[in-house]
Amino acid sequence: MSGAPVTNVRRGELPSAPQTLEPRWVRNALIAIALLFLTLFLFVPLVSVFYEALKKGWDAYAAAIVEEDAISAIKLTLITAVIAVPLNLVFGVAASWCIAKFEFRGKSILLTLIDLPFSVSPVISGLIYVLLFGAQGWFGPWLQEHDIKILFAVPGIVLATIFVTFPFVARELIPLMQAQGSEEEEAAIVLGASGWDTFRRVTLPNIKWGLLYGVILCNARAMGEFGAVSVVSGHIRGETNTMPLQVEILYNEYNFAAAFAVASLLALLALVTLVVKTFIAWRLNESIADDVRTTE
């Protein structure tokens, strides 16, 4: 069969991508186009960020990083991620367990709601909290009466961040847990294991790399979120500015060196996230391959 894809899968290995029969020049052209696209839209902007950040020297770069407002923005970004990511981890595991292991009415609706932040603009997500907790919002008068601040404070930033990031862990775990099935959990329960022991000793080891993968993506989005946080933060300098908001303020003030210095920290975060994500993806593929060998 001259036109069929060529595959050669040995027992106990995952099938590799099929080898097509296009001419070499077609493959080289596609590779060149992909590399050109990555160079123009990824590598050049990334290099330019670090170039602009360091253009005035290390002293100016360090001064911009240790400036009081920048330190406050870094701390607030880390605090937001430290709160939002564990909460999304708990939600993601619970939602994926529920969807992958059980059949119930409204399952498709739950899946749709999990995907909602992917389809809604982050700015709209922030406006939702303004409508809820603003001075003229549903709960605004009650919050003012009890002197509770949600908007233009840390709680509002955390809530907005949780909203835009909660699908990441669940969406990584749901297909993984569905593919694994529930046979091992059922066997553990038959042998007398409790629900917690079954989760800790059977389910969690099987999903650990997918879970870490989702947490890494969730953390990267939490630290880099701009739209939703911009709406609810109030842009109070030194108090409610996260790193992306601090970059915007510095850039609008034509303080380009400081803006790119803070932006370079976010770029470093993206690079570290990419490296960790690649490693976890490799470990996840290895885990799936081990499962295939075990079943055979």
Side-chain angles (χ1 to χ4, degrees):
M1 294 186 294
S2 58
V6 179
T7 58
N8 182 18
V9 182
R10 291 181 294 179
R11 181 178 178 82
E13 293 186 358
L14 290 177
S16 59
Q19 300 297 315
T20 58
L21 301 178
E22 284 82 4
R24 180 179 293 274
W25 70 268
V26 174
R27 286 178 287 174
N28 291 339
L30 292 174
I31 294 172
I33 292 172
L35 291 176
L36 178 62
F37 186 89
L38 289 174
T39 300
L40 292 177
F41 296 101
L42 180 62
F43 298 137
V44 171
L46 186 62
V47 171
S48 67
V49 168
F50 289 99
Y51 172 77
E52 292 292 337
L54 297 170
K55 185 165 63 173
K56 293 186 177 180
W58 283 103
D59 292 338
Y61 179 85
I65 296 299
V66 300
E67 194 264 335
E68 185 178 354
D69 290 342
I71 293 295
S72 175
I74 294 171
K75 288 181 179 179
L76 180 57
T77 302
L78 294 176
I79 290 172
T80 302
V82 166
I83 298 173
V85 173
L87 291 176
N88 281 326
L89 185 152
V90 174
F91 168 80
V93 172
S96 57
W97 175 282
C98 178
I99 291 171
K101 306 298 182 181
F102 302 100
E103 294 294 333
F104 54 91
R105 288 184 179 181
K107 184 175 180 178
S108 60
I109 297 177
L110 179 57
L111 281 168
T112 302
L113 292 176
I114 290 175
D115 289 336
L116 185 63
F118 287 147
S119 58
V120 175
S121 168
V123 174
I124 302 301
S125 304
L127 286 175
I128 292 173
Y129 289 100
V130 173
L131 292 175
L132 288 175
F133 305 118
Q136 306 302 321
W138 290 3
F139 307 112
W142 184 88
L143 292 172
Q144 287 184 335
E145 181 181 346
H146 292 81
D147 195 25
I148 299 174
K149 292 193 67 175
I150 300 295
L151 295 182
F152 312 143
V154 175
I157 294 172
V158 172
L159 287 174
T161 303
I162 290 173
F163 181 86
V164 298
T165 57
F166 78 78
F168 286 94
V169 176
R171 265 303 169 191
E172 289 299 325
L173 292 181
I174 289 171
L176 177 61
M177 295 178 73
Q178 286 176 333
Q180 291 176 346
S182 57
E183 290 81 4
E184 293 186 19
E185 285 87 352
E186 292 172 355
I189 292 174
V190 169
L191 293 174
S194 64
W196 170 247
D197 286 335
T198 300
F199 173 78
R200 183 168 57 90
R201 296 178 180 272
V202 178
T203 304
L204 189 59
N206 288 337
I207 65 171
K208 61 181 179 181
W209 294 112
L211 181 62
L212 287 173
Y213 192 88
V215 167
I216 290 297
L217 295 178
C218 179
N219 181 70
R221 177 63 187 274
M223 289 191 174
E225 175 56 31
F226 178 84
V229 171
S230 177
V231 174
V232 302
S233 71
H235 295 268
I236 304 173
R237 207 161 178 162
E239 294 183 21
T240 63
N241 278 340
T242 58
M243 290 170 66
L245 301 184
Q246 181 71 6
V247 171
E248 181 198 29
I249 287 178
L250 292 172
Y251 191 85
N252 289 338
E253 293 176 347
Y254 302 101
N255 191 353
F256 300 126
F260 280 105
V262 179
S264 69
L265 295 181
L266 289 172
L268 285 173
L269 169 67
L271 292 174
V272 172
T273 300
L274 180 62
V275 172
V276 176
K277 174 177 170 289
T278 302
F279 171 76
I280 292 176
W282 171 73
R283 287 295 305 159
L284 182 59
N285 289 333
E286 288 291 315
S287 177
I288 295 174
D290 291 340
D291 291 340
V292 172
R293 298 187 188 99
T294 301
T295 57
E296 294 185 353

